[in-house]
Amino acid sequence: MPDEMSRPLIQERSDGGGSRRLEASMSEPSDPVIGILGTGDFSRSLARRLVASGYQVVVTSQMEVASQADLVFVAVFPEHHSTLVGLKPALAGKTLVDVSNGLRINQDGPSNAEQLADLFPESCVVKGFNTLSAWTLQVGPRDGNRQVFLCSDSSKAKKSVMQLCRRMGFIPVDMGLLSSSLEIENLPLYLFPSWRVPVLCTLFLFIFFYSYNFVRDVLHPVITGGKKAFYKMPIETVNVTLPSVALVMLALVYLPGLCAAFLQLRLGTKYNRFPAWLDRWLTRRKQFGLCSFLCAALHAIYSLCLPMRKSARYKVINEALKKFKDGVQDVWVDEDVWRMELYVSVGIMALGLLSLLAVASLPSVSNTINWREFSFVQSTLGYCALCMATLHTLLFGWGRAFEASRYRFYLPPTFTLVLILPMTVLLGRLALFVPCVALRLRQIRRGWERNRNIRFTLPENDCRNGLEDVSNV
Amino acid sequence: MPDEMSRPLIQERSDGGGSRRLEASMSEPSDPVIGILGTGDFSRSLARRLVASGYQVVVTSQMEVASQADLVFVAVFPEHHSTLVGLKPALAGKTLVDVSNGLRINQDGPSNAEQLADLFPESCVVKGFNTLSAWTLQVGPRDGNRQVFLCSDSSKAKKSVMQLCRRMGFIPVDMGLLSSSLEIENLPLYLFPSWRVPVLCTLFLFIFFYSYNFVRDVLHPVITGGKKAFYKMPIETVNVTLPSVALVMLALVYLPGLCAAFLQLRLGTKYNRFPAWLDRWLTRRKQFGLCSFLCAALHAIYSLCLPMRKSARYKVINEALKKFKDGVQDVWVDEDVWRMELYVSVGIMALGLLSLLAVASLPSVSNTINWREFSFVQSTLGYCALCMATLHTLLFGWGRAFEASRYRFYLPPTFTLVLILPMTVLLGRLALFVPCVALRLRQIRRGWERNRNIRFTLPENDCRNGLEDVSNV
Amino acid sequence: MPDEMSRPLIQERSDGGGSRRLEASMSEPSDPVIGILGTGDFSRSLARRLVASGYQVVVTSQMEVASQADLVFVAVFPEHHSTLVGLKPALAGKTLVDVSNGLRINQDGPSNAEQLADLFPESCVVKGFNTLSAWTLQVGPRDGNRQVFLCSDSSKAKKSVMQLCRRMGFIPVDMGLLSSSLEIENLPLYLFPSWRVPVLCTLFLFIFFYSYNFVRDVLHPVITGGKKAFYKMPIETVNVTLPSVALVMLALVYLPGLCAAFLQLRLGTKYNRFPAWLDRWLTRRKQFGLCSFLCAALHAIYSLCLPMRKSARYKVINEALKKFKDGVQDVWVDEDVWRMELYVSVGIMALGLLSLLAVASLPSVSNTINWREFSFVQSTLGYCALCMATLHTLLFGWGRAFEASRYRFYLPPTFTLVLILPMTVLLGRLALFVPCVALRLRQIRRGWERNRNIRFTLPENDCRNGLEDVSNV
């Protein structure tokens, strides 16, 4: 890849006093002179990027930086901030940009930036650039995340940093007052916070169903019949477990939406906030869906591997040997053939639909579709996928649920357990199609309320009349 | 996910007269005061976002909003626009932003925004923000689409809204005059307009080939031989249909480009517009290709499922039983083995190439590659995939096309029908490689014309001489 | 898709002297008048886009364009630049935007833009817009790449072009001085430069391992036993080759990181630049990984195809026939069953992990995750995938490495060759976990140096004390 940083953009200028400045030939007198305190990788990459963007940058002794620059980046470890207090008079009235990060997530505050602001009450502290790596600064914002989150109590300082940010090729995102700095400092420390619950949920379901299937499919034949069955553990048992997890997780994608609808119907308004757990669940639906898709895709691969295995080959040969010994000339069980042809075909369609949903949830795809299209994909196609997956399971289990021999150790077959939640969700969704229920829900979502007491405090009562909301959601 | 909206950014200020303003401590005197008419979800999310971006927002009685604000968002249902006429004098000279959406696609106009402009001839109406949902406004532009389409007849009003837009973290896209507002209002109502023809085409081909295969592979053995064959419907017949659809659709991706080239050769110029159907077809090639890929991928999964089925297992056992009864000791048909090894291998390579094409058409990937790379992937690799897929079909059918027993009910085997279009496309492409044809086409695409009558009206004749186009396409 | 360009946005105005201007009703007196020299597709699309963005555009005779416009786009082939010298006086002091491209990559210079600047020393030449196609200009920047790379020696001229760029809906990226124009002109001519080495490496490994396997698995049985084996070439030999390539390529992803770590440990500092080959290798890791993933995915599909083939079917039937003839009643080799169940299961998990890595390297996904998440996915999950894949190979080969019959033509089994590199990488990684090594490495990466001689020239020595780097990498 081309790299303009390798070109000699930077001219060093040394005046008599030993002070050194880096500048590009295109810097203008009206631009602020930028100073950088700190000499690590980040500082150097920042200096190069700033110079490449046409700014004068001062990187000499601390005092000279503080006195000559109009806008100073503080790129030292926060535990050394206190060593800078000597620069206080020189930095008074100037803008300080705190680029530091914490080592661990800080929930309580104060943030590094707030502590810096306490140390330099006469300077304007702006928090930002901490989400960028030295690497991104060095190669420029061409790939990787271009957003820079900024906050400050001084609107003027923030504006000048935003402009600088834009000129460096990044997209500044205004996060408000300096009280947001804690949040901004935590941003690069998160480890998939939105995935925690869905992944834990997937793991829990996997362990539960795996144990259940292990007892039924491995332990039971070994204990009751002394048959070889432990070899089933790596593939067959996993392959019965994965679709169970996938289907339950898919049902959990659509359950919170149903809960929300029934809650709105019960309260007769959409202006009551949902309980926090429901709110959080609603925002995690994408993650639940992708976990479901991953399990479904793995289930497909495991299933396709079944006939490849030595064990499958031995079984076919053994069956052929046995049938010949028994004098059987034609093996063919029509019910088994039909069942399998049908549930495999329906299963493939369910997987196809889930794949479309997964592709549509890629950020770059979901950004190009409008809300109506998003809703069509995630709601209409999504419910189709849920129906298909449920049908796949029903066809697989059909008849078997009522055979006594399937209740090993009195445990019902796995698929009967698995079907409870998706069937509930599908029935609940059907209930919302009943005309009077559907009509009421539509009214509520357009702003109708059973008890017209405004709970939201912002708007006056009088301006409600005749003016409903233009809700796109 | 972090959510700065949950922080108490908004301070309510109540002055004597009951008027209420929301403001952030960082708003500046030079910024316009923003008013919002309407109290729905959208209005409230908008108010919060504006305040978080540092603006003063007025949300009180209609009259106060109209008189105090410099820039007013009209967030009421368009059918209630007429209730606002009392505010006409107060809104004169101010900028009105119409954020409304239609309920269905409006092809004829006038748009909501144009009707609002008729109601308030002394205000400057800007259309925009209607493509955003209350949800996007609330959580901020961090994920989801950041583009805001704007149009207005007043350049000044549009500019101020663009600036506001940028400060809120969105990317304004200038769509020109207010006459574009109809288009902007329709934007969130479209349901995959570019996919309609490709999807319909796929469905039609699927139904056609499925019926054809049903008659040949299911009905024929049942009627003529009384054999069991209905069980083939869910998987085997689908699996013969899918590759047919995939190959024809892939040929349809490259057919319009050939048509365009031959049209340019025939007319001797590139400055004649293509007929509308060809233009539209050319812009739908990506969708045709993705439909083809979906069918090919499903075909792969269906094929891989074949040996897993009970029916396959029974057939193997039955064949073993029969061979043993017949005293056969070794089954091995070299031709069958070679044919299958070859067409499976070629088929996998075709699928691999199609996967690369599909990945390269993801927006985030296609945005990172330059035009030469795009053309290499979509044209060079694409034609390779078409060749491979055609070869896959040829190898599968080889020899069989000439066996009388394959012409059931006098219907030729499916693959002979399927091959017509891809073979035509490949031969057409070969014709364009003939040196004199290739040279002429290259000349035409660099601007050469057989009859030098300028059809394009903009440029003067005299400035053409010696100045050819710098065409990147 | 909606297309605002089809609307009659452009009004032509003809004054007495035959001069023609295109203007939108919203253009403002303060905006520069734009001229375009050249009449190709690109010029016309540019004119339409500029007018749609509210600019006055002059496209008449060359002299009038030069004299009336404030900012002139030069959209003629670079070999015709010299025909424009007559316009020199009229263009003096004006901004010229050179949009031309080269025909082939130019490594030596001077660039077209630099030659243009030599021709017009009194004008300010800005390079840019050459990466856009006429098509992108015509349909607008809604999809496709929105970035426009600009460079110029005149800061003022560049700024005005950046503003124009932004108003057209594109994102200007400042590339510095005009000396960067060579790079910008080369940008649209590159053909996946970052993929060259990884793809060549994949091809080389494929050819090597394919030949090796061909000799062992095809030639050997034919020569020594006269068995049919050539039929293995299209699928079986490929399927043994692909996982070998995949595993070695995956090891090559993690090898350069290890080299870097050991180099830093040896030199006792992180401030020495890595050798160029290591630097380049480190930036190609993603491409190596994706090549590995492609091979692994193809290996999965080939493996799943195995039982579907006629040859597999014939073999099963032949084995059944033989066993029956021999009077065998039960075939079952416990070791073979367990080995296969285990290595298949582990292989699927490795593929699942690699899929996650591949998805995470899509630009739109990697842009939404922070650095800690990126490192977790690419490093932690990546090493897990490498472990799994190595285990998959070990389980496959277990025991076989020590059977003399496996050393055909004295060649060791393929998997023993394949395992060398991944085992080395895993052992190297383990070595870095040894506490004293890990501690030293952590110190070095926080800025510690064994010999405190500053090699980086920019910062003064005195400002180092106590101020370590805030490195996000």
Side-chain angles (χ1 to χ4, degrees):
Chain A
M1 281 305 289
D3 178 8
E4 88 274 22
M5 299 305 297
S6 61
R7 299 174 179 287
L9 276 173
I10 301 177
Q11 287 94 36
E12 282 191 35
R13 198 179 65 182
S14 201
D15 55 24
S19 164
R20 277 191 301 166
R21 286 185 175 207
L22 308 169
E23 59 184 72
S25 57
M26 54 194 164
S27 69
E28 275 182 284
S30 68
D31 288 333
V33 173
I34 314 290
I36 301 179
L37 294 173
T39 61
D41 295 348
F42 190 83
S43 309
R44 278 177 274 167
S45 303
L46 183 65
R48 287 173 162 261
R49 170 66 37 200
L50 283 165
V51 172
S53 305
Y55 287 99
Q56 275 192 46
V57 179
V58 192
V59 277
T60 63
S61 72
Q62 289 186 18
M63 187 44 85
E64 277 166 306
V65 166
S67 56
Q68 293 182 11
D70 308 310
L71 193 156
V72 177
F73 280 86
V74 183
V76 300
F77 283 124
E79 55 267 37
H80 300 295
H81 277 170
S82 55
T83 65
L84 302 172
V85 284
L87 308 172
K88 215 167 181 176
L91 291 172
K94 297 188 172 175
T95 298
L96 302 185
V97 185
D98 176 24
V99 304
S100 69
N101 272 322
L103 288 178
R104 60 191 65 81
I105 292 175
N106 177 354
Q107 301 282 18
D108 311 314
S111 68
N112 300 337
E114 285 167 328
Q115 288 177 299
L116 189 70
D118 286 346
L119 279 174
F120 297 91
E122 285 165 58
S123 309
C124 306
V125 172
V126 177
K127 178 81 212 181
F129 289 90
N130 60 312
T131 52
L132 297 180
S133 66
W135 174 251
T136 305
L137 279 168
Q138 206 173 337
V139 300
R142 258 169 287 166
D143 30 24
N145 202 330
R146 297 162 42 87
Q147 291 189 322
V148 169
F149 300 99
L150 298 171
C151 71
S152 174
D153 286 341
S154 154
S155 169
K156 193 164 149 260
K158 184 159 59 175
K159 263 192 191 163
S160 69
V161 177
M162 282 175 124
Q163 197 184 336
L164 181 141
C165 196
R166 231 176 254 124
R167 193 147 141 214
M168 289 164 81
F170 295 97
I171 300 173
V173 177
D174 189 335
M175 296 283 282
L177 299 175
L178 199 62
S179 57
S180 300
S181 58
L182 193 65
E183 191 50 50
I184 296 181
E185 286 173 14
N186 284 338
L187 276 179
L189 298 173
Y190 287 121
L191 187 60
F192 297 110
S194 60
W195 286 88
R196 195 163 304 150
V197 173
V199 166
L200 285 179
C201 197
T202 307
L203 283 180
F204 167 78
L205 285 171
F206 188 89
I207 291 168
F208 170 75
F209 281 117
Y210 190 90
S211 313
Y212 193 87
N213 292 323
F214 176 77
V215 170
R216 275 180 44 88
D217 298 342
V218 179
L219 273 195
H220 183 270
V222 169
I223 291 174
T224 59
K227 289 186 204 153
K228 278 178 202 134
F230 283 111
Y231 79 91
K232 292 182 179 176
M233 285 169 61
I235 294 193
E236 287 184 32
T237 313
V238 171
N239 193 34
V240 184
T241 305
L242 283 171
S244 313
V245 180
L247 186 51
V248 173
M249 289 295 288
L250 191 59
L252 290 177
V253 173
Y254 293 99
L255 191 56
L258 280 185
C259 291
F262 282 110
L263 206 63
Q264 288 178 338
L265 282 170
R266 203 174 135 234
L267 298 172
T269 175
K270 71 166 176 175
Y271 294 108
N272 273 37
R273 288 204 77 153
F274 295 133
W277 59 268
L278 186 54
D279 248 354
R280 230 174 301 128
W281 194 357
L282 284 164
T283 61
R284 298 290 180 270
R285 284 179 290 181
K286 176 174 150 183
Q287 284 78 11
F288 272 88
L290 288 173
C291 284
S292 168
F293 171 67
L294 182 67
C295 290
L298 285 176
H299 165 53
I301 299 181
Y302 270 101
S303 301
L304 295 172
C305 280
L306 295 178
M308 190 173 81
R309 300 166 307 148
K310 288 272 182 209
S311 52
R313 183 192 177 93
Y314 291 147
K315 278 190 186 165
V316 168
I317 294 175
N318 282 345
E319 192 173 340
L321 295 176
K322 185 159 174 296
K323 294 295 175 190
F324 197 79
K325 206 178 131 216
D326 297 349
V328 178
Q329 298 211 355
D330 183 57
V331 288
W332 190 272
V333 187
D334 231 29
E335 193 198 320
D336 282 0
V337 168
W338 269 99
R339 182 215 305 271
M340 188 145 191
E341 304 277 331
L342 284 174
Y343 82 68
V344 167
S345 195
V346 171
I348 294 174
M349 287 184 237
L351 185 70
L353 284 174
L354 281 180
S355 309
L356 292 184
L357 295 181
V359 170
S361 65
L362 285 173
S364 68
V365 176
S366 60
N367 282 356
T368 61
I369 62 183
N370 65 35
W371 185 81
R372 190 174 163 218
E373 292 165 341
F374 182 80
S375 138
F376 172 77
V377 170
Q378 300 296 346
S379 173
T380 311
L381 289 191
Y383 265 106
C384 283
L386 183 60
C387 287
M388 287 283 188
T390 308
L391 188 60
H392 173 66
T393 313
L394 278 173
L395 284 168
F396 171 82
W398 193 248
R400 293 177 180 168
F402 312 113
E403 296 169 13
S405 68
R406 298 274 164 182
Y407 287 73
R408 303 178 192 145
F409 292 141
Y410 304 103
L411 295 173
T414 315
F415 61 84
T416 54
L417 290 188
V418 170
L419 281 170
I420 297 169
L421 205 58
M423 295 298 276
T424 314
V425 169
L426 289 176
L427 290 175
R429 188 73 194 80
L430 274 182
L432 293 183
F433 278 126
V434 175
C436 62
V437 182
L439 178 68
R440 172 55 47 94
L441 193 61
R442 210 161 44 238
Q443 286 174 333
I444 288 175
R445 290 192 172 164
R446 284 211 104 191
W448 178 91
E449 291 183 89
R450 198 186 293 141
N451 313 305
R452 282 222 161 221
N453 307 320
I454 309 308
R455 283 173 202 81
F456 184 65
T457 55
L458 286 185
E460 300 281 346
N461 222 345
D462 56 343
C463 68
R464 265 197 91 78
N465 304 321
L467 297 179
E468 297 296 337
D469 61 308
V470 183
S471 163
N472 302 44
V473 176
Chain B
M1 281 302 290
D3 178 7
E4 88 276 21
M5 300 304 297
S6 61
R7 298 173 181 289
L9 278 173
I10 302 176
Q11 286 95 35
E12 282 191 35
R13 198 180 66 184
S14 203
D15 56 22
S19 164
R20 277 192 300 168
R21 287 187 172 205
L22 308 169
E23 59 184 73
S25 57
M26 56 194 161
S27 69
E28 274 182 284
S30 68
D31 289 332
V33 173
I34 315 291
I36 300 179
L37 295 172
T39 60
D41 294 347
F42 190 83
S43 308
R44 276 177 276 168
S45 301
L46 184 64
R48 285 172 164 262
R49 170 63 40 197
L50 283 165
V51 172
S53 304
Y55 286 99
Q56 275 192 44
V57 178
V58 192
V59 278
T60 62
S61 72
Q62 290 185 18
M63 186 44 86
E64 278 166 306
V65 165
S67 54
Q68 293 183 9
D70 307 309
L71 193 156
V72 176
F73 280 87
V74 182
V76 301
F77 283 124
E79 56 266 36
H80 301 295
H81 278 171
S82 54
T83 65
L84 302 172
V85 284
L87 307 174
K88 215 170 182 173
L91 291 172
K94 296 187 172 175
T95 299
L96 302 185
V97 185
D98 177 25
V99 303
S100 69
N101 271 322
L103 288 178
R104 60 193 64 81
I105 291 174
N106 178 353
Q107 300 284 18
D108 311 314
S111 69
N112 300 337
E114 285 167 328
Q115 289 177 299
L116 189 70
D118 286 346
L119 280 175
F120 296 91
E122 286 166 57
S123 309
C124 305
V125 173
V126 176
K127 178 82 214 179
F129 288 92
N130 59 313
T131 51
L132 297 181
S133 64
W135 174 250
T136 306
L137 280 169
Q138 206 174 335
V139 300
R142 257 171 287 168
D143 31 23
N145 202 329
R146 296 162 44 86
Q147 291 189 322
V148 169
F149 300 98
L150 298 172
C151 71
S152 174
D153 286 341
S154 156
S155 168
K156 193 165 149 260
K158 184 159 58 176
K159 264 192 190 164
S160 69
V161 178
M162 282 177 123
Q163 196 184 337
L164 180 140
C165 196
R166 230 175 256 125
R167 193 148 140 211
M168 288 165 81
F170 294 98
I171 300 173
V173 177
D174 189 336
M175 296 282 283
L177 300 176
L178 200 62
S179 56
S180 300
S181 58
L182 193 64
E183 192 50 51
I184 297 180
E185 285 174 14
N186 283 338
L187 276 178
L189 299 173
Y190 287 120
L191 187 59
F192 296 110
S194 60
W195 285 89
R196 195 162 304 148
V197 173
V199 166
L200 285 178
C201 197
T202 308
L203 282 180
F204 167 78
L205 286 171
F206 188 89
I207 291 168
F208 170 75
F209 281 115
Y210 190 89
S211 314
Y212 193 86
N213 291 324
F214 177 76
V215 170
R216 275 180 45 88
D217 297 343
V218 179
L219 272 195
H220 184 270
V222 169
I223 290 174
T224 59
K227 290 185 204 151
K228 276 177 203 136
F230 283 111
Y231 79 90
K232 292 181 180 177
M233 286 169 60
I235 293 192
E236 287 184 31
T237 313
V238 170
N239 193 33
V240 184
T241 304
L242 283 171
S244 313
V245 180
L247 186 51
V248 174
M249 289 295 288
L250 190 59
L252 290 177
V253 173
Y254 293 99
L255 191 55
L258 279 185
C259 292
F262 282 110
L263 206 64
Q264 287 178 341
L265 281 170
R266 202 172 138 236
L267 297 172
T269 174
K270 70 165 178 178
Y271 294 108
N272 273 35
R273 289 204 75 154
F274 295 132
W277 59 267
L278 186 55
D279 248 354
R280 228 173 302 127
W281 195 357
L282 284 164
T283 61
R284 298 288 180 273
R285 284 179 289 181
K286 175 175 150 183
Q287 284 78 11
F288 272 88
L290 288 173
C291 285
S292 168
F293 171 67
L294 182 66
C295 291
L298 285 175
H299 166 54
I301 299 181
Y302 270 100
S303 301
L304 295 173
C305 280
L306 294 179
M308 188 173 81
R309 299 167 308 148
K310 289 271 183 210
S311 52
R313 181 192 178 95
Y314 291 148
K315 279 187 185 166
V316 168
I317 294 175
N318 282 345
E319 193 173 338
L321 295 176
K322 185 159 171 297
K323 293 295 173 189
F324 198 79
K325 206 177 132 218
D326 297 349
V328 177
Q329 298 210 354
D330 182 57
V331 288
W332 190 272
V333 186
D334 230 28
E335 193 198 321
D336 282 1
V337 167
W338 268 100
R339 182 214 304 273
M340 188 144 191
E341 305 277 330
L342 284 173
Y343 81 68
V344 167
S345 196
V346 172
I348 295 175
M349 287 183 234
L351 185 70
L353 283 174
L354 281 180
S355 310
L356 292 185
L357 296 180
V359 169
S361 65
L362 285 173
S364 67
V365 176
S366 61
N367 282 357
T368 61
I369 62 185
N370 67 34
W371 185 81
R372 192 175 162 219
E373 293 165 340
F374 182 80
S375 139
F376 172 78
V377 170
Q378 299 296 346
S379 175
T380 312
L381 288 191
Y383 265 106
C384 284
L386 183 60
C387 288
M388 287 283 189
T390 309
L391 188 60
H392 173 67
T393 314
L394 278 173
L395 284 167
F396 171 82
W398 193 249
R400 292 179 180 165
F402 312 113
E403 296 169 13
S405 69
R406 297 275 166 181
Y407 287 74
R408 302 179 192 143
F409 291 141
Y410 304 103
L411 295 172
T414 315
F415 62 84
T416 55
L417 291 188
V418 170
L419 280 170
I420 298 169
L421 205 58
M423 294 298 277
T424 314
V425 169
L426 288 176
L427 290 175
R429 188 72 195 80
L430 273 182
L432 292 183
F433 278 124
V434 175
C436 62
V437 182
L439 179 68
R440 174 54 46 93
L441 192 61
R442 209 162 43 237
Q443 286 174 334
I444 288 175
R445 291 195 171 161
R446 282 212 107 189
W448 178 91
E449 291 184 87
R450 197 186 295 139
N451 312 304
R452 282 223 161 220
N453 308 320
I454 308 307
R455 282 173 202 82
F456 184 66
T457 55
L458 285 185
E460 299 280 346
N461 222 346
D462 56 344
C463 69
R464 265 199 92 77
N465 305 319
L467 298 179
E468 297 296 336
D469 62 308
V470 182
S471 163
N472 302 45
V473 175
Chain C
M1 281 304 291
D3 178 7
E4 90 275 22
M5 299 303 299
S6 61
R7 299 173 182 288
L9 276 174
I10 301 177
Q11 286 97 35
E12 282 191 34
R13 198 181 64 183
S14 202
D15 57 25
S19 163
R20 278 191 302 166
R21 286 187 173 206
L22 307 170
E23 57 184 75
S25 57
M26 55 193 163
S27 69
E28 274 182 285
S30 67
D31 288 331
V33 173
I34 315 290
I36 300 178
L37 294 172
T39 61
D41 295 348
F42 190 84
S43 309
R44 278 176 275 167
S45 302
L46 184 64
R48 286 172 164 262
R49 169 66 37 200
L50 283 165
V51 172
S53 304
Y55 286 100
Q56 274 191 46
V57 178
V58 192
V59 277
T60 65
S61 72
Q62 290 185 17
M63 187 44 85
E64 278 166 306
V65 165
S67 56
Q68 293 183 11
D70 308 309
L71 193 157
V72 177
F73 280 86
V74 183
V76 302
F77 283 125
E79 56 266 36
H80 301 293
H81 278 170
S82 55
T83 65
L84 302 173
V85 283
L87 307 173
K88 216 168 179 173
L91 290 173
K94 297 187 171 176
T95 298
L96 302 186
V97 185
D98 176 24
V99 303
S100 70
N101 271 322
L103 288 178
R104 63 192 63 80
I105 292 175
N106 178 354
Q107 301 282 17
D108 311 315
S111 68
N112 301 338
E114 284 167 329
Q115 289 176 299
L116 189 70
D118 285 346
L119 281 175
F120 296 91
E122 287 165 56
S123 308
C124 305
V125 172
V126 177
K127 178 81 214 179
F129 288 91
N130 60 313
T131 50
L132 297 181
S133 65
W135 174 251
T136 306
L137 280 168
Q138 207 174 334
V139 301
R142 258 169 288 165
D143 31 22
N145 203 330
R146 297 161 43 87
Q147 290 189 322
V148 169
F149 300 99
L150 298 171
C151 71
S152 174
D153 286 342
S154 156
S155 168
K156 194 165 149 258
K158 185 160 57 176
K159 263 191 190 164
S160 70
V161 177
M162 282 176 124
Q163 197 183 337
L164 181 141
C165 196
R166 230 176 255 124
R167 192 147 141 213
M168 288 165 81
F170 294 98
I171 299 173
V173 177
D174 189 335
M175 296 282 283
L177 299 176
L178 200 62
S179 57
S180 300
S181 58
L182 194 65
E183 191 50 52
I184 297 181
E185 285 173 15
N186 284 338
L187 276 179
L189 299 172
Y190 287 121
L191 187 60
F192 297 110
S194 60
W195 285 89
R196 195 162 304 148
V197 173
V199 166
L200 285 178
C201 196
T202 307
L203 283 181
F204 168 78
L205 286 171
F206 187 90
I207 292 168
F208 170 74
F209 281 116
Y210 190 89
S211 315
Y212 193 86
N213 292 323
F214 176 77
V215 170
R216 277 181 42 89
D217 298 342
V218 178
L219 274 194
H220 184 269
V222 169
I223 291 174
T224 59
K227 289 186 204 151
K228 277 178 202 136
F230 282 111
Y231 78 92
K232 292 182 180 175
M233 285 168 60
I235 294 192
E236 287 184 31
T237 313
V238 171
N239 194 35
V240 184
T241 305
L242 283 171
S244 313
V245 180
L247 186 51
V248 174
M249 289 295 287
L250 190 59
L252 291 176
V253 173
Y254 294 99
L255 191 55
L258 279 185
C259 291
F262 282 110
L263 207 64
Q264 287 179 339
L265 282 169
R266 203 176 135 233
L267 297 172
T269 174
K270 70 166 178 177
Y271 295 108
N272 272 38
R273 288 203 77 154
F274 295 133
W277 59 268
L278 186 55
D279 248 353
R280 230 174 301 125
W281 194 357
L282 283 165
T283 62
R284 297 289 180 273
R285 283 179 289 181
K286 175 175 151 182
Q287 284 79 10
F288 273 88
L290 288 173
C291 285
S292 168
F293 171 67
L294 182 67
C295 292
L298 285 175
H299 165 53
I301 300 182
Y302 270 100
S303 301
L304 295 173
C305 280
L306 295 178
M308 188 173 81
R309 299 165 309 146
K310 288 273 182 209
S311 53
R313 183 192 177 95
Y314 291 148
K315 280 189 185 165
V316 168
I317 293 175
N318 283 345
E319 192 174 340
L321 295 176
K322 184 159 173 295
K323 295 295 174 190
F324 198 79
K325 207 176 132 220
D326 297 349
V328 177
Q329 298 210 354
D330 182 57
V331 288
W332 189 271
V333 186
D334 230 28
E335 192 198 321
D336 282 0
V337 167
W338 268 100
R339 182 215 304 272
M340 188 145 191
E341 304 277 332
L342 283 174
Y343 81 67
V344 167
S345 195
V346 171
I348 295 175
M349 287 183 234
L351 185 70
L353 283 174
L354 281 180
S355 309
L356 292 185
L357 296 180
V359 169
S361 65
L362 285 173
S364 67
V365 177
S366 59
N367 282 356
T368 59
I369 62 184
N370 65 35
W371 185 81
R372 190 175 162 215
E373 292 165 342
F374 182 81
S375 139
F376 172 77
V377 170
Q378 299 297 346
S379 174
T380 312
L381 289 191
Y383 266 106
C384 283
L386 182 60
C387 287
M388 288 283 188
T390 308
L391 188 60
H392 173 66
T393 314
L394 279 173
L395 284 167
F396 172 83
W398 194 248
R400 292 178 181 167
F402 311 113
E403 296 170 13
S405 69
R406 298 273 165 183
Y407 287 75
R408 303 181 192 143
F409 292 142
Y410 305 103
L411 296 172
T414 315
F415 62 84
T416 55
L417 292 187
V418 171
L419 280 170
I420 298 168
L421 205 58
M423 294 298 276
T424 314
V425 169
L426 289 176
L427 290 175
R429 188 72 196 82
L430 274 182
L432 293 183
F433 278 124
V434 176
C436 62
V437 182
L439 178 69
R440 174 54 47 92
L441 193 60
R442 208 161 45 236
Q443 286 174 334
I444 288 175
R445 292 196 170 160
R446 283 211 107 189
W448 178 91
E449 291 183 88
R450 197 186 295 139
N451 313 304
R452 282 220 161 222
N453 309 319
I454 309 307
R455 283 171 202 81
F456 184 66
T457 56
L458 286 185
E460 300 281 347
N461 222 344
D462 56 342
C463 69
R464 265 199 90 78
N465 305 322
L467 297 179
E468 297 296 336
D469 61 307
V470 183
S471 163
N472 303 45
V473 175

